[in-house]
Amino acid sequence: FFVIMPVLMEFIFIIVLVFVFLTSSIAFLFLLFCGLYFILVYRTAEGLTIRTDRAVRAATDLYAVVSDVMHQKRLIKTEGVAAFAGGLVEAAMGRFTKATLGAWSYRSKLGLRHAIMILAFTLSTISFGSCLLDAGVISAGDHVMLLLYAMATTRPLDTLGRSLRDTTRVAAALGALQDHLPAGPAARRRGDGFPPRCDIEICHVTFCHDGEAPVLNDFSMTIAQGEKVCITGASGQGKTTLLRLLRGAVRPQVGAVRLGGVDLDSIDEAVRAERIVHCLQGAPVLDLSAYENIALGRAVDPAEVAAMMSALGLDHGSNPLGPATRLGPEGSRISLGQKQRICLARAMLRPGDIFLYDEPTSALDDENAGRVAALLRDVHATKTVVVVTHDPGLFGHFDRVIGL
């Protein structure tokens, strides 16, 4: 409407001027041209409007996907699913490219029809005006005015399709976004570099952040394979740092972390991400369905996902969730407690060997916290579990409680 109406009004204004200053025959020629133009071009313009709207929607979707992925880089790196995240961006870019090319195709059709009509009208105007000039109906000055009016009709048409002038620049710029994502791991061979036993040894570790006072100072601890351990203590005592050391996300300035006698640093990062599962604090989720957030591109049986969501109490309450429920940007459509349980379901369904949970019940009420505590022990019956928590209700479900 806001594109076509100014064009139509300017055409009407030109016709009025022709009626006032020239002859009715020439005015009829202008009216005939306008009618033909809008029959041939307007329908194409309608198609352009529809496809422009699709391109705008695809661009908005692409921005949302890229923004979501960039906000959750820590989750993507921790889970080792950079290839999955890159696939989300690539799919959104594909939809945007397809929509943009469709819009440009219609713009090309519009431009071609516009050029043909303008050329035909200009030639007919010159010929008709010459005949009228030879017959003495109009003067030479009127003929010049007629040509000027003919050229004036081309000016308002340039406004059609301008909303797409920047789309090619956007498409070119998006190609660089992949550079900001962590590279996807190569084909993984389960177990490469990982010891057959997963006894954890933390040997005289000292760790500090950027030259600050050590959060862990000459700290040692041993966790046997299959043991369930709670780590507790006041804020700032190094509990989350300890989990990051166990995952290999950071390295101690002094001391070593070993699995089954093997230095953690010597194990490939992709293998660590597969075998050591870390449920992050803060409940990070993507703007995908609950199932997609739990699977993160891995082959997970939907029935298992539904069963785990039910076991965590996600399928009932005031805002029940199903596997197909979309969570919104950064989980904006669900509560913090639901986000936390989605993250717990993601970790519990992973086929790892060591499971690290950072404050897994911080956003849950007592009923749901008790449900989670029982599930942690039952689901990981033969696995090693290390939980950082301030919740004393969890202590009784674990083999040991270690205070920092």
Side-chain angles (χ1 to χ4, degrees), residues 233-317:
S235 297
Q237 296 300 308
K239 300 183 300 298
T240 296
T241 299
L242 180 59
L243 292 189
R244 297 185 70 201
L245 285 165
L246 291 175
R247 183 169 62 85
V250 294
R251 297 178 180 179
Q253 284 83 13
V254 179
V257 179
R258 300 189 182 98
L259 297 181
V262 177
D263 197 306
L264 190 62
D265 289 340
S266 67
I267 302 173
D268 182 73
E269 182 178 359
V271 176
R272 291 202 308 263
E274 182 180 311
R275 306 291 293 274
I276 303 175
V277 179
H278 187 183
C279 186
L280 296 168
Q281 188 176 12
V285 295
L286 296 165
D287 185 13
L288 300 170
S289 69
Y291 172 83
E292 290 170 315
N293 266 284
I294 291 170
L296 287 182
R298 300 181 176 94
V300 183
D301 186 349
E304 291 185 12
V305 171
M308 181 59 72
M309 291 180 66
S310 179
L312 288 165
L314 286 166
D315 60 347
H316 58 269

Side-chain angles (χ1 to χ4, degrees), residues 65-271:
V65 171
V66 172
S67 177
D68 202 34
V69 168
M70 297 304 289
H71 275 99
Q72 301 298 350
K73 284 196 296 184
R74 189 164 69 101
L75 167 66
I76 292 165
K77 184 174 182 180
T78 299
E79 293 287 337
V81 291
F84 170 69
L88 294 177
V89 175
E90 186 176 355
M93 287 180 67
R95 293 191 295 270
F96 172 74
T97 301
K98 182 179 179 180
T100 303
L101 290 177
W104 275 99
S105 173
Y106 257 73
R107 187 182 182 187
S108 299
K109 291 180 182 178
L110 180 64
L112 180 61
R113 293 183 182 184
H114 167 70
I116 292 172
M117 287 296 297
I118 293 299
L119 179 61
F121 176 67
T122 302
L123 293 176
S124 61
T125 301
I126 293 173
S127 301
F128 187 58
S130 298
C131 292
L132 293 177
L133 181 62
D134 292 340
V137 177
I138 62 174
S139 66
D142 291 336
H143 194 199
V144 172
M145 287 290 293
L146 178 61
L147 294 177
L148 291 175
Y149 285 134
M151 289 186 289
T153 60
T154 66
R155 182 164 47 85
L157 302 178
D158 291 336
T159 58
L160 296 173
R162 285 185 180 179
S163 60
L164 295 174
R165 64 186 177 183
D166 294 327
T167 52
T168 52
R169 297 179 188 174
V170 174
L174 289 171
L177 285 173
Q178 294 283 5
D179 297 337
H180 295 282
L181 292 173
R188 299 177 187 171
R189 295 171 295 172
R190 182 170 173 81
D192 284 359
F194 210 83
R197 282 192 59 83
C198 300
D199 299 314
I200 299 172
E201 299 174 79
I202 301 177
C203 306
H204 303 286
V205 162
T206 296
F207 181 86
C208 58
H209 297 283
D210 299 326
E212 298 178 1
V215 291
L216 294 171
N217 190 11
D218 195 26
F219 179 79
S220 297
M221 180 177 69
T222 300
I223 300 174
Q225 177 173 303
E227 192 175 9
K228 313 296 186 288
V229 175
C230 266
I231 307 294
T232 189
S235 297
Q237 296 300 308
K239 300 183 300 298
T240 296
T241 299
L242 180 59
L243 292 189
R244 297 185 70 201
L245 285 165
L246 291 175
R247 183 169 62 85
V250 294
R251 297 178 180 179
Q253 284 83 13
V254 179
V257 179
R258 300 189 182 98
L259 297 181
V262 177
D263 197 306
L264 190 62
D265 289 340
S266 67
I267 302 173
D268 182 73
E269 182 178 359
V271 176

Side-chain angles (χ1 to χ4, degrees), residues 341-384:
R341 282 176 283 170
I342 290 288
C343 295
L344 288 168
R346 178 196 299 147
M348 289 181 184
L349 289 172
R350 287 278 303 279
D353 295 284
I354 297 173
F355 292 83
L356 312 175
Y357 290 90
D358 197 350
E359 299 287 359
T361 60
S362 59
L364 304 181
D365 56 31
D366 292 341
E367 179 184 353
N368 282 308
R371 183 184 289 117
V372 166
L375 275 172
L376 285 174
R377 189 165 191 96
D378 294 342
V379 171
H380 305 314
T382 61
K383 307 295 184 180
T384 303

